[in-house]
Amino acid sequence: MNPSVPQKERIVSLDIIRGLALFGILLINVAAYQIRIEGGPIPDDSGINGIIDRLIGIFIEKKFFSIFSFLFGVGFYIFASRAEARGDKPRWRFARRLLALLLIGIVHIFVFWGSILAIYAVIGFLLIPFYNAKITTISKWLFAIITVHVLCILGQIFLPNQEVFSTVFGLFGNDAITIFIMFLTGFLVAKADWISHVSEYSKQIKWVQLVTFPFFIGISIWIWFASQGEYQNLNSIISLGVIPITYFYLACLFMILENNKIANLLKPIGRVGQMAFTNYLAQSFIGLAIISFMGLEVVSPADVVIIAILIFVIQIIFSVIWFKFFKMGPCEKLWRFMTYGKKVMSNK
C-alpha cells in the first residue's frame, strides 16, 4: 500500500508499477473470487486454457504480489521518514498504521478469503526493527534470509521425503518469508535512495538485470515443462523463481519508466496505483459482480483474463475521474484517519 503524500511529492513510477502490480494480482485472484464446492464443476485446462494457465504460472503467479510487497517496503520508508521529519515517532506511527491495516484486512477476509491485507499487516511489524539500521546491516540480513529461503525451497524440491528437515523447509521456504524479503528489499532500496535517482544508479540496475535474466529464462522453461504434467513440486519451482524474476521485473520497469514518453502514456495506470488500497479492496466486489452477471458456474483461465481486463479498465476509468475531484482514494482517507486518529485534511 502507498502512503498518502501530496501530489507534487509523489514518484510517478511507483504509482505506475503499483497499478501494474494490481493488474497482475487480478490475474491470480479472479479465479479465487468464486469458491469451489467439492464435487462441483472443474475449470477446463485443455487447449488455450491450459496455455494461459501455464503462462500465468510462468510470468504472473507470486511475482506481482512480490512487486506489491516490494512497494509496501518502499512505502514504509517513505511514510516513516516523513513522520520523523515532522517530529512524529516513526516506528510507533507505523505500528498504528499496521494495526489499522490488520483491522481492515480481517473485515475484508469475510468478503474475499484470499485477502492479503491482514498477512501484510502482521509481517509488516518485522520491518520496524530495521528502521534505524544501517544500509550495510540491512543488506547482510537480506542476503542471509534470501540464502536460507532459497536453500529451503531447494530442499522441498530435491529432498521432499526428508521428515527431519521438512518442518524447517516448510517454515523458511514459504510465501510469508518471500513477502518479508520483498518488504525488506523495498525498504533497503528506498533508504539507499535508488528510487528517486534511478538514472544515477543505472549501472547497478543494469547489473541486477544481467544477473537475474538467466534465472528468469531458466526457471521459466522449468515451470513450462513441469506444468505440463502432474509435477508435485510445481509450486516450489514457481516459488524458487519469485525473487530473481521479481528483481528482474522491477529493474526493467524502473529503467523503462525513466522514459518520460512511456511514463506519460502509462499515467492512467498510475492513477490506479495511486489509490491502490481502494482498488485492491474494490477488485473483489467488482469481480464477484461480473462473475455473477456472466452467470459463470466455474471460471476458466480464459475467463480470468477477460474478467481481469474488464475490472482493470473499470478501475482505470474510475481512478482517472476520481482524481479530477479528490486528492486521495476513499479507503486511503479512512486508513489515514485510523493512523492519525484526528480529522484528515480535506479530500477535495
Side-chain angles (χ1 to χ4, degrees), residues 7 10-17 257 263-264 266-267 270:
Q7 183 65 28
R10 301 194 69 86
I11 300 172
V12 176
S13 61
L14 292 181
D15 288 330
I16 294 172
I17 294 171
L257 292 172
N264 287 328
L266 297 178
K267 271 188 177 180

Side-chain angles (χ1 to χ4, degrees), residues 313-324:
V313 169
I314 290 169
Q315 293 196 312
I316 289 174
I317 295 169
F318 175 78
S319 299
V320 169
I321 294 173
W322 180 272
F323 281 108
K324 289 184 181 296

Side-chain angles (χ1 to χ4, degrees), residues 98-119 121 277 280-281 284-285 288 331 334 338:
L98 289 173
L99 288 172
L101 181 63
L102 177 61
L103 179 60
I104 296 171
I106 290 171
V107 173
H108 190 224
I109 287 173
F110 289 98
V111 177
F112 172 45
W113 64 271
S115 175
I116 198 72
L117 299 180
I119 296 171
F277 194 21
Y280 176 77
L281 290 169
S284 51
F285 292 98
L288 286 167
C331 293
L334 172 64
M338 293 173 72

Side-chain angles (χ1 to χ4, degrees), residues 22 25-36 108 111-115 279-289 291 299 307-308 311:
L22 279 172
I25 288 170
L26 262 176
L27 291 168
I28 300 301
N29 281 350
V30 165
Y33 292 152
Q34 188 180 59
I35 299 176
R36 293 187 194 176
H108 190 224
V111 177
F112 172 45
W113 64 271
S115 175
N279 282 319
Y280 176 77
L281 290 169
Q283 284 178 350
S284 51
F285 292 98
I286 301 171
L288 286 167
I291 290 170
V299 181
I307 294 170
I311 293 172

